[in-house]
Amino acid sequence: MALFYKAVKSTMATKSGDKKWHLNLVKVGKVVSTQQLAEMIAEKSSLTPGDVHNVVRNLMTAMRSALLDSKTVRLDGLGTFTMK
């Protein structure tokens, strides 16, 4: 599992007139769909892809509801989500 970055020069200059460089993550390959994600998880569990797909959809619904209630959602090992 490798992450690829490319250096990008900022369009805005600092007070001293310098333009800083920063790294942007480069996305590779195709987008993984919810169904594909469910199939990947099902391979590692005793659940069927349909069962996992249902759980993932329910997770998204529950997260959306919590976020719309101005709550923060933390998924351990993945990240913290909040509305801005």
Side-chain angles (χ1 to χ4, degrees):
M1 173 172 43
L3 296 176
F4 300 100
Y5 295 91
K6 70 176 180 178
V8 178
K9 196 171 193 176
S10 176
T11 56
M12 298 182 65
T14 62
K15 290 181 181 178
S16 62
D18 298 330
K19 290 189 177 180
K20 301 282 184 177
W21 288 85
H22 60 276
L23 297 176
N24 274 1
L25 184 64
V26 176
K27 308 247 184 330
V28 204
K30 297 180 180 177
V31 173
V32 177
S33 70
T34 305
Q35 185 60 40
Q36 291 169 317
L37 188 62
E39 291 168 5
M40 292 164 54
I41 295 169
E43 288 175 3
K44 299 178 182 298
S45 73
S46 61
L47 300 172
T48 67
D51 291 336
V52 176
H53 189 266
N54 190 33
V55 169
V56 170
R57 287 181 52 194
N58 288 335
L59 171 66
M60 291 187 295
T61 301
M63 282 183 66
R64 184 180 303 117
S65 176
L67 292 169
L68 290 174
D69 285 341
S70 299
K71 296 189 172 143
T72 297
V73 177
R74 180 182 301 122
L75 297 179
D76 296 335
L78 182 62
T80 304
F81 301 85
T82 187
M83 295 293 279
K84 294 282 183 177

